[in-house]
Amino acid sequence: MMAFLAMVMFIALFAFGNTYFGWSDPGGKVQLALVSAFVFGIICGFRAKG
């Protein structure tokens, strides 16, 4: 359930974050940071499980 919630929140921020929060991201650095944080969270989650 939490993984689904995290995935939905990531997709919403990635797709609509600039409209909702009003950030300017012409170079894509904010979206790169979001992707990196999501991937690192997945890696840390797997490492914590096993």
Side-chain angles (χ1 to χ4, degrees):
M1 180 66 182
M2 290 303 285
F4 177 73
L5 180 63
M7 187 171 52
V8 168
M9 287 175 59
F10 167 73
I11 291 170
L13 275 174
F14 193 80
F16 305 110
N18 59 347
T19 305
Y20 186 72
F21 291 110
W23 64 57
S24 174
D25 191 24
K29 292 186 190 318
V30 174
Q31 287 186 337
L32 178 64
L34 286 171
V35 170
S36 299
F38 190 72
V39 169
F40 293 146
I42 290 171
I43 291 169
C44 289
F46 281 135
R47 292 192 68 183
K49 270 188 175 178

